[in-house]
Amino acid sequence: MLKQLGRLERTRNIIILGFAVLMAVSLVIFYAPGRSATNVNPAASTEVVAKVGSDHITVADLMLVRESFRQRFGGQIPLSQLGGNRSFLESLIAKHVVRQEAERLGLGASDAEVAEKIRKQFTDASGVFVGNDRYKESVTPRYGSVEKFENELRDEIAQEKLRAFVTASINVSDDEVQQEYRRKQTVFDVNYVTLSAEKLSEKIQPTDADLRSYYDSHKTDLRYLEPQRKVRYLFIDQEKAASKLKISDQELQAEYDRLDPQFKQAGVKAQQILLKVARKDLDPQVEEKAKELIKKLRGPDGRGTEQAFAEAARGNSEDPATAANGGFLPGVIKKNPNKPHGLYDRLVDMQPGDISDIPIRYAGNWYILRRGDAVPKTFAEAKPELLVSLRNRRSYSEALKVATKAYSRLKETKDIQKVAQELAADANMAPAEMVRETPYIKPGDDVKDIGTNQQFEEAVGQLNNPNDVAEPTGIKGGFAIPILVDKKEPRIPDFEEVRTKIADIIKKQRAKDELEQKAKDLLASVPNADALKAAGEKAGFEADNRNFNIGSSLGNLPASAALDDAIFGMKTGELHKTPIKVGDDWVLVGVVKRTDADMTEFVKRRDEVRQRMLSERQSQVFEDYISGVQQRMKREGKIKIYDDVLASIEEEEEPAAAPGLPPGLKFPTK
């Protein structure tokens, strides 16, 4: 492939502008002790976690994708919120399925197509390929080899070709486009009441006779099929154990020096011109003015000088705060992962000097944006973040060291209070904080301060006699060293043991049975939409008033097609005649005011709406197609997930959950 690229262009020692594009999928090599099933460094583990046809997905493959996602979001979003290890694995499986299906249909990527994609990505400012040496220097550190990177490109090209093939016949009619615009642009002011079984269950109080009757009728259902164990455990808080660590400026400086250049940026400078729309009928004129300004400011390469933009901002921008300063926004602009569609986010992806090619409509006004130079993040600015990051990484080792010592001492003394006293200073905790106790628990139980934790369950499951001690295991926030207090064999529990559980079961069941009727009764008592909110609040249910657009969610409710259709079919002042089921809840809704879409705007936005609808429909068809292929491959035994390997990989990696030791690695004993 390198030889083929060499025949295309040979230009050396030029800045690689395509570099930023690769960062989202770049290979991130990282070290986290004890997180692989068989290797200390999971990024090097070759253990197979899944098989797709003849392809094998290793633990290392999974960890690299997982870390890539974390880096993409700046490490600000817990991995659990991104779906956990199984979600990452499913995405990897889908990727292999797409490639194999494309190859089956003769839609794989050729060497020439891969070479062309590389040539376009790795160009200098004049559009010339940067040369094989610079290309190889850029790719190898991040992907391990040119071959791995080019395989990624092959997969991308194959997916593009397969998607085009599958969705070639998809279309959207003019009537559908117009109806979609009408639905999405109509605004509703609604009152609504949400009736949930959980809320209703709080008002239900079963009698002792009810509880006893349920117990007598469901003893077999209530049987404990597995032993229950009650344990005390010594808790070593990872954060507290690490808080006494001393980290020097020299160490932090070394961390800073190793950072990728993109993480040494504080943000980018930005200029704007704001053109306000005083009245709706003036909107076309304001937009036209914005287009004329862009035409004057953009050079042949789509860029404009800082000085020319500043002069235009002073003479035209209607934002007094920035216009006087040449349109410069205060501070620097950087992406906010929690608000991915902000006005200024698009600036970060532009090149220095770029000016938005079309006016940007935002909050009813028109904006023209210019991206300035990147602003470096100095060591002093990065130092607080580096300190947290380095402390988090070292906290694992520090907590593990204390946990290892605690395990040895507890094995010797069998006295958890004594060990807590001895190691309180090392753990940087009070002895009372370190000693915790569970009720009688079994696998699958949600344990206070621990949750549902498979590693903890496995450790506790090995304890059979009082004072047996289990090896340290990772739980939320640190390590636990369990010691058995008592064990109960499988049995039918006594009534008092399950009294609270039975009460909860009866409450929830009655609430579900009564909820729809409660909703109907409440609706019958409400005269109109205006009175709905007050009636719901009086009845003790969640009630509110919101502005609503079709396709959005209403309060804490998920988006619902049934709710959308109901609201869109209502006029001002109307109550929906029946309660609407959304998930497990029932919803009453009334339209206080309806503002229909302004169809005079439709002509301008027709193509935009059509393209969005077409893209969404194509994505859904392609997703359904790949899902069908994947299900077929599973039925044929061509996809296999090794659940035991997957379960051994810790979900969390930063201090929220300290992982345990890899299987086979033992703690030292006296």
Side-chain angles (χ1 to χ4, degrees):
M1 183 61 65
L2 288 173
K3 290 180 180 178
Q4 187 165 356
L5 283 168
R7 292 195 295 268
L8 295 171
E9 300 283 354
R10 293 194 179 276
T11 303
R12 300 173 183 271
N13 302 319
I14 300 175
I15 298 173
I16 302 172
L17 298 179
F19 182 75
V21 178
L22 297 174
M23 291 312 298
V25 292
S26 63
L27 178 63
V28 182
I29 302 299
F30 69 108
Y31 173 77
R35 292 176 190 177
S36 162
T38 58
N39 293 285
V40 173
N41 183 357
S45 173
T46 58
E47 184 164 17
V48 176
V49 69
K51 183 179 74 171
V52 184
S54 60
D55 296 341
H56 291 88
I57 299 173
T58 66
V59 170
D61 295 331
L62 176 59
M63 298 298 275
L64 292 170
V65 169
R66 197 175 88 166
E67 184 62 12
S68 177
F69 268 81
R70 179 179 285 283
Q71 293 292 339
R72 187 179 302 181
F73 289 100
Q76 299 181 35
I77 299 179
L79 291 170
S80 58
Q81 292 185 22
L82 294 173
N85 286 328
R86 184 167 291 275
S87 177
F88 293 123
L89 180 59
E90 289 291 347
S91 71
L92 270 174
I93 290 172
K95 175 182 170 183
H96 284 268
V97 169
V98 167
R99 180 175 55 76
Q100 291 181 21
E101 179 67 3
E103 290 174 353
R104 187 184 73 83
L105 295 172
L107 299 172
S110 68
D111 287 349
E113 288 171 322
V114 174
E116 179 65 12
K117 196 172 183 73
I118 293 170
R119 191 184 69 80
K120 287 181 178 178
Q121 284 192 10
F122 291 85
T123 58
D124 61 18
S126 63
V128 178
F129 176 58
V130 298
N132 292 333
D133 291 342
R134 293 300 301 274
Y135 160 61
K136 186 175 180 180
E137 288 171 6
S138 175
V139 167
T140 303
R142 287 171 171 74
Y143 287 83
S145 70
V146 169
E147 182 183 6
K148 285 187 178 180
F149 170 67
E150 291 180 356
N151 284 338
E152 289 282 343
L153 290 188
R154 286 183 190 279
D155 290 346
E156 288 180 21
I157 295 168
Q159 176 166 325
E160 290 168 4
K161 293 168 74 172
L162 180 61
R163 189 179 193 275
F165 173 79
V166 171
T167 63
S169 62
I170 305 301
N171 202 358
V172 181
S173 69
D174 290 342
D175 287 344
E176 288 175 311
V177 174
Q178 186 169 0
Q179 179 66 3
E180 175 72 0
Y181 180 83
R182 192 186 304 277
R183 281 173 63 88
K184 289 293 179 70
Q185 297 303 314
T186 299
V187 180
F188 300 87
D189 178 10
V190 301
N191 281 338
Y192 71 97
V193 178
T194 303
L195 292 87
S196 68
E198 183 178 352
K199 194 76 173 176
L200 182 58
S201 68
E202 295 172 2
K203 304 176 182 181
I204 297 173
Q205 294 299 328
T207 65
D208 286 345
D210 294 331
L211 300 177
R212 177 65 70 172
S213 175
Y214 186 94
Y215 175 77
D216 291 339
S217 303
H218 295 82
K219 283 184 179 180
T220 304
D221 298 335
L222 296 168
R223 174 190 292 272
Y224 293 131
L225 301 176
E226 299 181 70
Q228 287 181 294
R229 292 173 172 85
K230 182 177 184 178
V231 300
R232 292 192 187 94
Y233 63 94
L234 204 62
F235 175 61
I236 308 300
D237 188 302
Q238 185 170 321
E239 186 175 348
K240 290 185 178 180
S243 63
K244 56 189 178 67
L245 288 175
K246 302 298 182 185
I247 298 175
S248 67
D249 281 356
Q250 289 79 6
E251 292 173 295
L252 294 175
Q253 182 68 56
E255 285 285 304
Y256 178 78
D257 293 340
R258 285 194 293 268
L259 285 177
D260 192 282
Q262 69 164 338
F263 298 118
K264 288 184 179 180
Q265 290 184 10
V268 302
K269 293 181 180 178
Q271 292 169 280
Q272 74 170 18
I273 295 174
L274 166 62
L275 301 178
K276 294 183 178 179
V277 180
R279 300 193 316 268
K280 248 184 181 179
D281 60 303
L282 297 176
D283 189 77
Q285 297 175 33
V286 178
E287 182 183 9
E288 192 58 37
K289 179 181 178 181
K291 287 179 179 178
E292 287 298 320
L293 280 171
I294 289 175
K295 188 175 180 181
K296 290 178 183 177
L297 290 169
R298 282 169 63 91
D301 59 355
R303 301 180 183 183
T305 66
E306 179 181 303
Q307 182 179 356
F309 196 96
E311 290 174 0
R314 292 188 185 99
N316 296 277
S317 182
E318 297 177 69
D319 178 11
T322 60
N325 192 33
F328 275 102
L329 296 169
V332 295
I333 301 301
K334 56 184 177 181
K335 286 189 176 181
N336 183 349
N338 298 319
K339 296 181 179 178
H341 303 297
L343 170 63
Y344 303 114
D345 272 5
R346 68 199 75 194
L347 272 168
V348 182
D349 295 324
M350 293 163 61
Q351 295 297 319
D354 278 359
I355 294 175
S356 47
D357 54 353
I358 59 173
I360 300 166
R361 187 175 183 83
Y362 192 83
N365 298 312
W366 293 98
Y367 287 81
I368 304 169
L369 303 178
R370 179 185 181 276
R371 198 263 211 203
D373 294 330
V375 178
K377 182 186 291 184
T378 65
F379 170 67
E381 292 170 330
K383 185 175 175 180
E385 297 173 11
L386 293 171
L387 180 61
V388 171
S389 176
L390 189 55
R391 193 184 297 280
N392 283 345
R393 297 204 305 274
R394 292 189 179 177
S395 66
Y396 174 88
S397 298
E398 188 67 19
L400 177 58
K401 188 190 304 180
V402 180
T404 303
K405 190 185 296 185
Y407 172 66
S408 289
R409 291 294 295 139
L410 199 53
K411 288 275 288 185
E412 287 178 15
T413 66
K414 310 294 185 182
D415 188 336
I416 197 168
Q417 296 291 347
K418 180 179 180 180
V419 176
Q421 290 282 351
E422 290 177 2
L423 298 181
D426 290 347
N428 199 28
M429 299 172 68
E433 294 179 280
M434 300 173 68
V435 179
R436 297 179 177 180
E437 185 170 294
T438 72
Y440 284 95
I441 57 174
K442 63 184 187 306
D445 284 351
D446 189 348
V447 183
K448 181 184 177 184
D449 298 323
I450 295 177
T452 303
N453 184 308
Q454 185 176 358
Q455 281 190 320
F456 184 77
E457 290 173 2
E458 290 174 355
V460 171
Q462 299 170 14
L463 307 179
N464 294 305
N465 301 302
N467 290 326
D468 281 356
V469 180
E471 292 181 351
T473 184
I475 65 171
K476 184 178 180 181
F479 287 94
I481 305 98
I483 182 169
L484 185 65
V485 175
D486 190 28
K487 176 183 176 182
K488 292 182 178 181
E489 297 299 334
R491 70 197 192 286
I492 293 177
D494 296 334
F495 171 69
E496 289 300 329
E497 283 185 77
V498 290
R499 181 188 185 95
T500 301
K501 180 179 179 180
I502 292 172
D504 288 341
I505 292 172
I506 293 175
K507 286 180 180 182
K508 289 176 182 177
Q509 189 57 56
R510 286 188 183 174
K512 285 183 179 179
D513 293 342
E514 297 174 11
L515 198 59
E516 183 178 7
Q517 189 57 50
K518 288 279 186 185
K520 290 178 178 178
D521 292 344
L522 179 57
L523 183 61
S525 70
V526 179
N528 52 52
D530 289 325
L532 181 60
K533 180 174 179 289
E537 290 173 342
K538 184 178 179 181
F541 293 106
E542 178 190 342
D544 206 348
N545 170 268
R546 293 285 176 90
N547 280 335
F548 179 79
N549 291 88
I550 299 301
S552 61
S553 57
L554 197 57
N556 295 322
L557 295 167
S560 163
L563 196 58
D564 285 348
D565 291 343
I567 293 175
F568 189 73
M570 296 163 64
K571 300 176 182 177
T572 297
E574 283 188 347
L575 270 172
H576 196 261
K577 296 178 181 179
T578 59
I580 304 160
K581 200 167 193 303
V582 179
D584 292 331
D585 299 334
W586 288 92
V587 183
L588 310 181
V589 64
V591 173
V592 177
K593 183 180 178 182
R594 172 182 177 133
T595 306
D596 286 309
D598 180 2
M599 297 308 290
T600 60
E601 290 289 309
F602 173 65
V603 176
K604 298 177 186 176
R605 300 185 59 186
R606 186 200 310 269
D607 291 341
E608 171 197 334
V609 176
R610 184 190 303 279
Q611 188 55 48
R612 175 172 53 78
M613 289 182 69
L614 185 61
S615 178
E616 290 174 355
R617 191 167 294 182
Q618 288 173 335
S619 295
Q620 187 60 57
V621 168
F622 184 63
E623 184 180 324
D624 292 343
Y625 178 86
I626 295 303
S627 178
V629 174
Q630 193 163 328
Q631 290 303 316
R632 186 194 74 223
M633 291 180 71
K634 284 182 178 178
R635 288 194 302 270
E636 295 172 352
K638 294 180 179 178
I639 295 177
K640 170 69 175 174
I641 295 176
Y642 299 101
D643 290 313
D644 56 336
V645 178
L646 183 63
S648 72
I649 306 171
E650 274 295 317
E651 292 285 352
E652 292 286 344
E653 59 172 37
E654 299 276 359
L661 288 179
L665 183 58
K666 299 292 184 181
F667 285 85
T669 56
K670 187 77 172 177

